[in-house]
Amino acid sequence: MKIRVFDNSHDAGVYVAALAEQVIEDHASPVLGLATGSTPIPFYEALVRLHQCGLDLAPVKTINLDEYIGLDPSHPQSYAWFMQNHLFSHVNIPKDQIYLPNGVASDLEAECRRYDEVIRKHPVHLQVLGIGINGHIGFNEPDDALLSQTHIVDLRQETVASNARFFHDIEEVPKRAITMGVQAILQADQIVLMAFGREKAQIVAKSVSGGVRTDVPASILNLHKQVTVVLDRDAAAELMDSSGRLRIR
Ligand code: PGA
């Protein structure tokens, strides 16, 4: 696992966008696995800037990790809307190359199987992840077992509370979501886990240095051979010694 610590999230986003550019240049039909939340926003901003400087995203396919159940893609807090707003409306990825789970599908189980098929058909070259304060990746929440396939998840109370900042009222936050499973995440050629801010420092340290545990879902990334953890100094705080150097590499 490679760890890269930046002075700020802007610089971290530029770094991740450069990794994405490399993947886009290396593959005729590049597939990016994408995440939502505040963390990847600097990455999307940097990718949009690269596009404005000439990077062609027309061959790119994107597969998002998750979506709230019950929010239509036109709902401003749906992840479909988030992606539209932060990336898709600014770049030239064709609409039919964009994949997200449908949180308003009439048969949600069938939707999970459909999404597994999408993932099977389009193996991800670079998977971008954020991390929840409880260690979730996608919406794979801490539990006795982690599920491998796309599934419906009851969001943990701390996840609902954390996501309430995007809604007027905590009651409006969906309590269920569809998420890609951990197997699909681990199948990506390359994974980038991003985290910013002091409130992520503890869970980041647990994830990268505490062994693999299902109550810290991100720790499963220790099983993958090409993971880069991209942090700002605050999120790296618990990995630094007193002179500001990384204790683990
Ligand atoms: P955040 O969410 O980027 O908004 O902190 C991360 C996550 O829950 O995966």
Side-chain angles (χ1 to χ4, degrees):
M1 195 175 267
K2 196 155 85 177
I3 300 176
R4 292 290 175 267
V5 183
F6 294 86
D7 283 339
N8 53 62
S9 58
H10 172 273
D11 292 356
V14 170
Y15 176 78
V16 178
L19 295 179
E21 176 174 25
Q22 193 60 55
V23 165
I24 293 164
E25 286 182 346
D26 286 352
H27 296 89
S29 187
V31 182
L32 302 181
L34 299 180
T36 50
S38 11
T39 308
I41 292 176
F43 157 58
Y44 294 134
E45 288 170 349
L47 194 57
V48 169
R49 284 196 300 274
L50 281 178
H51 172 65
Q52 288 163 349
C53 296
L55 177 66
D56 181 17
L57 297 185
V60 172
K61 296 191 176 76
T62 66
I63 302 190
N64 264 78
L65 284 166
D66 45 18
E67 178 60 284
Y68 287 123
I69 289 178
L71 295 195
D72 189 83
S74 64
H75 190 290
Q77 295 310 332
S78 72
Y79 289 163
W81 182 274
F82 174 100
M83 290 307 302
Q84 199 57 35
N85 197 23
H86 289 284
L87 183 65
F88 300 144
S89 64
H90 307 287
V91 297
N92 64 335
I93 302 173
K95 239 180 153 161
D96 62 354
Q97 291 171 203
I98 291 171
Y99 300 97
L100 281 112
N102 176 7
V104 291
S106 55
D107 182 343
L108 291 168
E109 278 302 334
E111 175 58 11
C112 292
R113 303 292 70 81
R114 179 193 75 85
Y115 211 61
D116 278 336
E117 193 53 23
V118 166
I119 297 161
R120 196 189 60 74
K121 270 202 200 136
H122 308 291
V124 171
H125 297 115
L126 173 69
Q127 176 67 57
V128 176
L129 299 172
I131 179 172
I133 41 165
N134 63 7
H136 70 212
I137 47 175
F139 273 134
N140 291 279
E141 297 278 45
D143 213 331
D144 294 340
L146 296 174
L147 299 181
S148 55
Q149 312 293 320
T150 302
H151 58 280
I152 297 163
V153 60
D154 289 320
L155 300 178
R156 299 278 293 238
Q157 188 256 325
E158 62 271 18
T159 299
V160 172
S162 170
N163 292 355
R165 68 192 195 277
F166 301 112
F167 293 80
H168 296 300
D169 192 294
I170 192 162
E171 290 310 313
E172 290 175 21
V173 185
K175 309 293 183 290
R176 295 194 307 157
I178 297 183
T179 185
M180 203 187 259
V182 291
Q183 187 187 27
I185 293 172
L186 290 176
Q187 272 168 355
D189 288 352
Q190 189 186 158
I191 299 175
V192 176
L193 177 78
M194 305 174 74
F196 305 130
R198 192 66 182 84
E199 74 276 10
K200 298 280 174 76
Q202 212 170 10
I203 196 67
V204 166
K206 260 193 185 173
S207 303
V208 306
S209 54
V212 175
R213 325 167 23 160
T214 62
D215 62 344
V216 183
S219 68
I220 202 158
L221 300 179
N222 286 294
L223 300 176
H224 194 280
K225 60 182 186 320
Q226 210 185 335
V227 178
T228 307
V229 179
V230 175
L231 307 170
D232 66 1
R233 292 194 177 279
D234 284 341
E238 308 241 341
L239 298 174
M240 303 281 206
D241 63 21
S242 53
S243 56
R245 270 194 296 268
L246 272 178
R247 278 193 275 109
I248 59 167
R249 269 161 215 284

